[in-house]
Amino acid sequence: MSMNRQGRKTNIDQSSSDQADAMTVSGNKALQIEEPILFDLGDTQTTGVDFADVAPFESRLNGLERIDEFGLVGLSEPETMRHYVRLSQKNYSIDTGIYPLGSCTMKHNPRLNEKIARLQGFMDIHPLQPQSSVPGAIDLMDELAHWLMELTGMKAIALSPKAGAHGELCGMMAIKAAHEARGSTKNIVLVPDSAHGTNPATAALVGYKIRSVPAQEDGTVTVASVKEALDDDVAAIMLTNPNTGGVFEREIVEIAKLIHEVGAYFYCDGANFTAIAGKVKPGDLGVDAMHFNLHKTFSTPHGGGGPGSGPVVLSKRLAPFAPLPFLVKEGESTRLVENANDRVDETSPFGRMTAFHGQFGMYTRALTYMMSHGADGLKQASEDAVLNANYLRASLSDYMSLAFGEDHICMHEVLFDDAFLKGTGVTTRDFSKAMIDEGFHPMTVYFPLIVNGAMLVEPTESESKASLDQFIEVMIVLAKRAKQGDAEPFLNAPRFTPRRRLDETGAARKPILRWSPNNKTST
Amino acid sequence: MRYLPLSPDDRRAMLAKVGVDHVDALFADVPNDKLLDKLPDLPLAASELEVERQLSQMAARNLSAGQSKGFFVGAGAYRHHTPATVDHLIQRSEFLTSYTPYQPEISQGTLHVLFEFQTQICMLTGMDVANASMYDGSTATAEAVLMARRVTRRKKAILSGGLHPQYRAVVENMQRFSGGDLVQMTPAIAEAEDLISQIDDQTACVVVQYPDFFGQISDYSELAEAAHVKKALLIIVVTEIVSLGAIKSPGSMGADIVVAEGQSLGCGLDFGGPYVGLFATRQKYIRQMPGRLCGKTVDVDGQQGFVLTLSTREQHIRREKATSNICTNSGLMALAFSIHLTLLGEKGLRQLAMINHANAVQLADELGKINGVDVLNDSFFNEFTIRVPGSAHDLVEALAAKQLLAGVPVSRLHGDGTLEDLLVIAVTEMNSAEQITDLAAAIEGEIS
Ligand SMILES: Cc1ncc(COP(=O)(O)O)c(C=O)c1O
């Protein structure tokens, strides 16, 4: 079979003359090479893996042999390599350039993390081989737990949740279990309007009703607004701190007190912990449960949509309810408790979040990162993240519109709204697409929902001043252009990407979610 | 610090631009007494060499599968050979260090792969549609139960005794907190369980594993029919995805939802994660599915491209009414899975499956000859259960002391003091004929 067929022609009729000039015979554009869908490329008889023949034997498959061809396509090794390398070249990444996706903390992913995670003694061990054969892995989990608890000043930890949202679920389950243990049937969770969608979705999943708390002008939640929403039915509040507008919740300590006074718990969404690691301990603020996103704060790669890892730290009051598995010290050594019957004093685990012990491969990466930084480096990283965001804020405040006014400092991310685009015919979406043409990944757009046309910019500590200066320079020119009424380039953006704006409405109206011979690519 | 590009001069200049003297002025919203005045009690920064030294020592204290004298541990995670190409490709910066594809024009690589991945999952499972991945097999199973509850507007899930005990625990937990009901069958290997008589008009779903936790392979066609008569859904769980290169697809038996652990392809063991949850269902249920979906569309020039779609099911749009709270899933592991499967193709997957099965048959036959050992399965793929005299746990520990990792004692997972004499043993292409014979001999040596 031939090597991957390259490209296909651009449709001349639908292209402007500019694009026609830029057309090639193959449809490729130099380093941008068109790549077909796998199933239009290979066949079921090709394989890129060599196996020895199996001597005949009597099968034990209960007569359920899979006989019919089911269509999986194979490629030889060189074809496979090209297929995926070409596809990779159609992605932007943190290694490509600034990726200021607010709330997502796209910081540098050190390759030492990858190297350590791939040590045979970490990578090639099974979660159910005898614990006696993996003391180093259990110690690594214990060490990670120690770092996370010390950084937060919290008393216990559940390592196993698989991402931030799963950590939220774990924390809210611990809270519900604690209520149940007291015979309390409180059924309402307070969630600010500014919260990430996972917060209300999580609370609803564990059977709570959501009561929203309005954000103030500056995006924060105040004692007064919480008081307004508070009554005896409130089981918990879910508060993000720093919040989703990049602001530290000033009244957080009083809010925590208030919540505790009515016998409720304080869940803190720790997605933005990167702003305060080494600077503030959530335990000192009155937090009862908080998840980390190791794939944000502690630099484990996000891999185009995961894996994540979402350990949850717990206060003394919630500690007994931590799910299985959990670590216990026994003399010199540490052990993983995997079963409810395996009773340990003062614990009553609420259940199990996942099979096995969580995202161990992310534990190794996160610990590698933390050890590299050390306590001093983590503090410096938080300060740099906050400084970088404020530098953008100060540099862009005259050109774009800050959501919370000119004088308001921010933490690790800065929130703009679309007021500066008013009357220009350019939307937040258009503006973000023009940034793509300039070689940047856009910021988070249209989140949080509390401001119009939100643009949430999180540079992280990984950007150099030179990188920020270039970003600022371009943003200023784009903002000026939009205000001058030059909407065209925005509406047509992006122009230089492998694909231009995609029809999302059409995609949702008639979903094509898999290849089939009927929806074969038209060439 | 090597990860931080700002120099002291940069910081000074930037603080000046911001208009403050000290970085702590930017932390002014933090209540004054809460800003730490000393560093957390943790070690200070360390060089790459130093970190590598310390963590390598930790790694060296573990007995890895590769260093062992034989490795037969399975029960939901399997040791397979991953072609070198896979790990190279997933470490491409553009795949490794990108976020969820929120900006499709600069994420066509990830989206294209997800579309192919979804197609591969459909073909493997024999289903119509698949999502872009879940965290792992166990959480995917819990999500499947929740979906069945949405579809049927009923609360009860019936769990087979052959479902992986930790999967059962995850479902049980989710059912408890979300107000669902549960019927759990008692694990009984090699005895047909009567799930059908449990199904009533309150039943949202029946959950079975294929091959089951003990390794048995059953035809669930009748069960599917019985469930459908009562308007309940059949959820089939696959923990060893390689098996589907050898045995009939769950879809062909009438499953309504198929969930699986995809770890066997591309992922490695990693002491339990990150793995990849697979989730597939029938076309008519797509709007009830959890998780992200990638769809094919066109751009303004009419060129084919891909986007995330049907997001009105998801938490960022629907908030408390979302079908799931999942956000980050297992993108990179889905990529690894997909690359591995592309290398294999249907032909390679079938060959791989056959080698696994042949090796398992060899071990089962050798163990069957040992006095005192009973092979309990009448069918299996690459994993089966034996009964040993005394405690399987003690046997496994004794063999581990000799660097032989013999399998998983069922009691470790059930933890209720029953089934103590049962051992689940997995065999893959990684086990040589010699290792298989050695394991049988070692077990014989321990029990006699
Ligand atoms: C504020 C906030 N909370 C929760 C989450 C959910 O985290 P994850 O995607 O790891 O599940 C995110 C990230 O997407 C977030 O930004």
Side-chain angles (χ1 to χ4, degrees):
Chain A
M1 142 174 201
S2 63
M3 291 298 285
N4 308 26
R5 281 176 261 134
Q6 300 189 357
R8 66 203 168 78
K9 285 185 190 155
T10 311
N11 188 336
I12 302 177
D13 301 339
Q14 290 178 17
S15 304
S16 67
S17 57
D18 275 6
Q19 281 160 332
D21 288 345
M23 271 193 5
T24 57
V25 178
S26 60
N28 300 330
K29 291 177 190 141
L31 293 180
Q32 260 181 44
I33 295 179
E34 290 293 318
E35 186 62 15
I37 296 175
L38 172 65
F39 300 91
D40 292 328
L41 198 59
D43 59 57
T44 58
Q45 286 315 301
T46 303
T47 179
V49 186
D50 297 324
F51 292 107
D53 289 337
V54 181
F57 67 102
E58 190 194 330
S59 93
R60 312 287 163 83
L61 301 175
N62 196 17
L64 291 169
E65 280 80 1
R66 189 167 196 169
I67 293 155
D68 297 341
E69 186 175 280
F70 47 103
L72 281 176
V73 153
L75 298 177
S76 68
E77 188 174 305
E79 291 171 303
T80 302
M81 197 59 105
R82 281 203 186 153
H83 182 64
Y84 291 100
V85 168
R86 288 172 181 177
L87 291 180
S88 76
Q89 290 171 327
K90 301 180 200 312
N91 267 7
Y92 196 92
S93 72
I94 180 66
D95 292 346
T96 312
I98 184 170
Y99 209 127
L101 203 56
S103 210
C104 301
T105 312
M106 290 298 280
K107 60 173 71 178
H108 172 59
N109 298 158
R111 290 314 191 274
L112 179 63
N113 299 357
E114 299 303 309
K115 184 174 180 184
I116 298 297
R118 285 171 173 78
L119 294 174
Q120 198 178 18
F122 289 144
M123 184 192 65
D124 196 21
I125 54 174
H126 190 290
L128 297 179
Q129 70 185 72
Q131 287 194 23
S132 58
S133 68
V134 285
I138 291 172
D139 281 355
L140 183 131
M141 291 170 71
D142 194 38
E143 187 68 15
L144 177 77
H146 173 70
W147 278 76
L148 295 176
M149 287 192 287
E150 173 59 24
L151 283 173
T152 51
M154 301 285 279
K155 298 293 175 258
I157 191 163
L159 287 174
S160 67
K162 299 233 145 185
H166 206 221
E168 292 172 31
L169 191 60
C170 176
M172 293 310 289
M173 284 174 169
I175 286 171
K176 198 171 186 191
H179 277 300
E180 284 173 0
R182 298 205 316 246
S184 136
T185 54
K186 296 170 186 285
N187 65 343
I188 288 176
V189 172
L190 301 183
V191 182
D193 298 343
S194 57
H196 193 259
T198 51
N199 291 188
T202 299
L205 201 49
V206 291
Y208 283 122
K209 289 203 169 60
I210 314 302
R211 185 179 292 164
S212 74
V213 183
Q216 305 302 299
E217 289 275 282
D218 67 353
T220 62
V221 173
T222 59
V223 169
S225 57
V226 172
K227 242 184 204 151
E228 184 90 352
L230 205 57
D231 60 28
D232 275 349
D233 293 332
V234 171
I237 189 169
M238 295 183 87
L239 208 56
T240 308
N241 189 48
N243 69 24
T244 59
V247 180
F248 194 95
E249 292 286 353
R250 267 185 306 277
E251 300 183 11
I252 191 165
V253 176
E254 291 77 31
I255 292 172
K257 273 203 198 104
L258 209 58
I259 289 292
H260 290 153
E261 272 164 24
V262 300
Y265 295 92
F266 176 8
Y267 186 88
C268 181
D269 181 329
N272 295 335
F273 189 63
T274 190
I276 58 171
K279 298 289 288 181
V280 183
K281 292 186 176 183
D284 294 344
L285 306 174
V287 168
D288 290 303
M290 184 189 98
H291 76 260
F292 302 90
N293 308 66
L294 298 187
H295 46 297
K296 298 181 181 186
T297 305
F298 299 116
S299 85
T300 74
H302 203 273
S309 181
V312 179
V313 280
L314 300 169
S315 64
K316 197 167 166 228
R317 301 196 300 156
L318 290 181
F321 304 100
L324 298 162
F326 57 86
L327 296 159
V328 287
K329 287 244 191 302
E330 282 173 355
E332 289 290 277
S333 64
T334 307
R335 175 171 81 84
L336 262 174
V337 176
E338 295 174 285
N339 284 303
N341 304 51
D342 183 357
R343 286 245 166 252
V344 175
D345 286 351
E346 286 161 46
T347 63
S348 45
F350 68 69
R352 178 176 270 282
M353 298 298 297
T354 174
F356 312 130
H357 326 310
Q359 308 282 59
F360 181 80
M362 300 296 116
Y363 306 160
T364 48
R365 288 170 174 87
L367 184 62
T368 302
Y369 173 83
M370 287 193 277
M371 287 171 66
S372 297
H373 264 306
D376 48 342
L378 288 173
K379 175 170 180 250
Q380 185 69 59
S382 300
E383 290 177 356
D384 283 2
V386 170
L387 178 57
N388 276 356
N390 278 284
Y391 184 63
L392 290 184
R393 179 181 60 81
S395 306
L396 294 172
S397 64
D398 288 345
Y399 307 93
M400 294 168 67
S401 40
L402 285 163
F404 305 135
E406 309 243 326
D407 302 324
H408 206 305
I409 50 169
C410 63
M411 298 298 283
H412 64 301
E413 56 195 356
V414 53
L415 180 61
F416 298 93
D417 62 21
D418 60 3
F420 77 103
L421 295 175
K422 201 161 178 216
T424 62
V426 175
T427 63
T428 290
R429 173 164 292 108
D430 302 328
F431 195 84
S432 71
K433 299 299 183 194
M435 289 170 65
I436 292 178
D437 274 341
E438 299 292 340
F440 302 129
H441 194 286
M443 55 275 172
T444 290
V445 290
Y446 300 105
F447 174 81
L449 309 176
I450 54 165
V451 306
N452 291 323
M455 305 183 195
L456 184 64
V457 188
E458 178 179 10
T460 84
E461 71 277 15
S462 305
E463 291 314 312
S464 67
K465 181 168 179 296
S467 163
L468 295 178
D469 285 337
Q470 191 200 21
F471 182 77
I472 290 162
E473 198 184 312
V474 172
M475 294 292 274
I476 289 173
V477 175
L478 290 181
K480 280 183 179 164
R481 237 183 235 167
K483 286 189 227 176
Q484 281 159 6
D486 192 5
E488 241 357 76
F490 294 93
L491 303 181
N492 286 330
R495 291 167 295 164
F496 306 118
T497 41
R499 286 295 177 274
R500 298 185 54 226
R501 272 196 229 192
L502 291 136
D503 180 5
E504 302 192 21
T505 319
R509 197 180 308 128
K510 274 192 166 179
I512 303 172
L513 306 176
R514 59 171 291 184
W515 177 92
S516 76
N518 316 333
N519 66 36
K520 213 172 140 96
T521 323
S522 54
T523 32
Chain B
M1 207 291 145
R2 60 188 177 276
Y3 300 153
L4 301 176
L6 297 186
S7 69
D9 280 347
D10 291 336
R11 290 186 185 112
R12 268 190 294 278
M14 291 164 74
L15 285 170
K17 172 76 194 175
V18 175
V20 298
D21 294 335
H22 190 272
V23 72
D24 277 348
L26 302 175
F27 289 81
D29 287 340
V30 179
N32 225 327
D33 58 330
K34 303 301 180 197
L35 205 57
L36 297 176
D37 52 12
K38 62 177 187 340
L39 287 176
D41 188 12
L42 293 163
L44 299 181
S47 69
E48 183 159 333
L49 177 60
E50 184 50 38
V51 173
E52 209 175 314
R53 212 174 255 152
Q54 288 184 36
L55 288 173
S56 300
Q57 281 168 11
M58 238 182 221
R61 294 173 52 222
N62 300 323
L63 174 60
S64 70
Q67 290 167 314
S68 71
K69 300 228 163 77
F71 181 88
F72 298 86
V73 190
Y78 302 88
R79 184 164 186 256
H80 290 287
H81 183 258
T82 307
T85 304
V86 176
D87 197 42
H88 173 83
L89 284 170
I90 69 165
Q91 289 195 71
R92 291 276 309 185
S93 288
E94 301 90 333
F95 286 136
L96 186 73
T97 77
S98 53
Y99 205 78
T100 304
Y102 292 139
Q103 295 286 347
E105 300 89 348
I106 44 174
S107 311
Q108 284 299 302
T110 293
L111 287 161
H112 187 127
V113 168
L114 290 177
F115 187 76
E116 294 177 350
F117 169 80
Q118 289 173 182
T119 308
Q120 287 173 320
I121 302 311
C122 290
M123 290 172 168
L124 266 176
T125 56
M127 302 298 282
D128 303 331
V129 284
N131 75 12
S133 80
M134 310 299 287
Y135 304 134
D136 67 6
S138 67
T139 63
T141 305
E143 290 273 13
V145 169
L146 292 175
M147 178 173 139
R149 284 172 52 189
R150 288 192 295 277
V151 167
T152 60
R153 296 171 193 270
R154 298 173 181 175
K155 285 185 167 179
K156 188 164 77 187
I158 301 169
L159 306 188
S160 156
L163 180 61
H164 191 294
Q166 291 189 340
Y167 282 50
R168 284 159 60 111
V170 173
V171 173
E172 184 184 351
N173 190 53
M174 188 69 107
Q175 283 290 83
R176 170 157 98 81
F177 281 103
S178 62
D181 300 328
L182 204 61
V183 173
Q184 301 211 47
M185 306 294 281
T186 313
I189 173 167
E191 268 168 54
E193 44 178 16
D194 183 13
L195 286 161
I196 292 179
S197 71
Q198 298 288 332
I199 306 173
D200 59 22
D201 59 6
Q202 302 299 307
T203 305
C205 58
V206 182
V207 187
V208 293
Q209 186 175 320
Y210 175 75
D212 76 11
F213 174 69
F214 300 101
Q216 289 277 99
I217 304 172
S218 309
D219 189 341
Y220 294 122
S221 305
E222 259 176 55
L223 180 61
E225 269 170 41
H228 295 158
V229 167
K230 295 267 166 65
K231 300 204 164 14
L233 305 193
L234 176 64
I235 298 171
I236 297 186
V237 179
V238 182
T239 61
E240 169 53 298
I241 198 71
V242 172
S243 68
L244 297 187
I247 53 178
K248 278 176 72 170
S249 74
S252 69
M253 295 180 179
D256 299 285
I257 306 174
V258 179
V259 288
E261 174 52 70
Q263 171 274 339
S264 284
L265 295 179
C267 294
L269 292 172
D270 278 317
F271 203 47
Y275 294 168
V276 51
L278 315 180
F279 194 108
T281 188
R282 302 284 174 202
Q283 180 73 28
K284 61 182 169 189
Y285 299 134
I286 53 174
R287 282 168 210 274
Q288 292 299 338
M289 287 178 84
R292 302 206 189 279
L293 288 167
C294 170
K296 189 157 82 101
T297 185
V298 289
D299 75 356
V300 290
D301 295 329
Q303 296 228 76
Q304 167 190 285
F306 305 92
V307 291
L308 292 178
T309 191
L310 296 180
S311 53
T312 49
R313 299 164 299 113
E314 290 186 74
Q315 44 75 26
H316 60 283
I317 310 280
R318 259 305 171 76
R319 300 177 78 82
E320 65 264 34
K321 297 201 177 64
T323 56
S324 166
N325 71 336
I326 194 167
C327 182
T328 293
N329 46 53
S330 297
L332 195 72
M333 306 341 280
L335 171 69
F337 179 98
S338 196
I339 298 170
H340 193 172
L341 201 51
T342 298
L343 281 164
L344 287 167
E346 186 159 329
K347 180 170 177 222
L349 181 70
R350 284 178 184 276
Q351 287 177 311
L352 175 63
M354 229 9 90
I355 293 170
N356 273 257
H357 187 44
N359 287 356
V361 167
Q362 185 200 334
L363 182 62
D365 287 349
E366 294 194 21
L367 289 172
K369 289 182 204 138
I370 299 172
N371 236 336
V373 171
D374 288 326
V375 177
L376 300 180
N377 296 57
D378 45 41
S379 64
F380 58 87
F381 168 61
N382 68 353
E383 186 168 32
F384 55 84
T385 306
I386 63 171
R387 175 172 285 128
V388 296
S391 152
H393 170 267
D394 293 350
L395 173 66
V396 165
E397 291 289 334
L399 292 172
K402 297 175 180 167
Q403 311 221 317
L404 185 53
L405 297 169
V408 181
V410 172
S411 63
R412 173 162 178 186
L413 294 168
H414 273 285
D416 60 358
T418 63
L419 310 176
E420 297 222 310
D421 53 356
L422 301 189
L423 180 63
V424 174
I425 302 183
V427 195
T428 72
E429 76 283 4
M430 302 295 275
N431 301 109
S432 65
E434 199 183 350
Q435 280 179 346
I436 289 169
T437 304
D438 288 352
L439 176 71
I443 289 178
E444 184 165 26
E446 285 301 325
I447 64 172
S448 55

